[in-house]
Amino acid sequence: QVQLVESGGGSVQAGGSLRLSCAASGYTYSSYCMGWFRQAPGKEREGVATIDLDDTTSYTTSVKGRFTISKDNAKNTLYLQMDSLKPEDTAMYYCSAGSRYCAGHSCWCALLQDPYNYWGQGTQVTVSS
């Protein structure tokens, strides 16, 4: 059983930075993809960033150039460095682990919830203007 525990959330002013961490335990080798999702009040959960076993990354358009996803395999820890934060980044952020999404002959770590079957409890990020 995979367990994911997020930390590092908090309150910052616009333009500030935060680094989220996600400590993974249990059997993770079946999980090709790890990702960060977020959910703002009254909105659906959305994919923010993903990283594959070979460190291939993907980002949702609104965070490209500001957020960086990375992982430390030795520490079984996933990170999300968030810079130039904006009020619209305010949300509960969730760490996730799962499988690649396949369409046709291609498979990749998609910014979709369905391929992810392990989730953390979330950490709150609040950005004030």
Side-chain angles (χ1 to χ4, degrees):
Q1 183 72 19
V2 176
Q3 291 186 323
L4 304 172
V5 180
E6 303 97 334
S7 62
S11 298
V12 296
Q13 290 190 329
S17 298
L18 282 174
R19 188 175 82 155
L20 306 183
S21 298
C22 173
S25 61
Y27 182 64
T28 59
Y29 293 104
S30 62
S31 298
Y32 293 102
C33 303
M34 296 198 74
W36 289 97
F37 288 73
R38 67 185 179 187
Q39 186 167 19
K43 295 188 177 181
E44 293 187 356
R45 190 174 296 187
E46 65 168 345
V48 176
T50 67
I51 187 165
D52 205 331
L53 284 176
D54 64 358
D55 289 340
T56 299
T57 58
S58 66
Y59 299 90
T60 192
T61 301
S62 63
V63 308
K64 284 181 180 177
R66 300 189 299 120
F67 290 11
T68 303
I69 189 172
S70 63
K71 57 186 172 72
D72 185 330
N73 293 326
K75 295 182 179 180
N76 281 338
T77 301
L78 179 72
Y79 302 101
L80 185 67
Q81 177 67 40
M82 304 185 295
D83 299 318
S84 302
L85 282 161
K86 303 176 181 181
E88 50 264 43
D89 295 318
T90 295
M92 185 72 78
Y93 283 71
Y94 298 91
C95 171
S96 59
S99 303
R100 294 187 182 112
Y101 175 82
C102 295
H105 298 290
S106 298
C107 296
W108 67 95
C109 296
L111 293 167
L112 301 171
Q113 294 186 61
D114 282 349
Y116 294 86
N117 47 359
Y118 299 108
W119 294 86
Q121 82 289 349
T123 185
Q124 178 68 38
V125 171
T126 302
V127 184
S128 58
S129 58

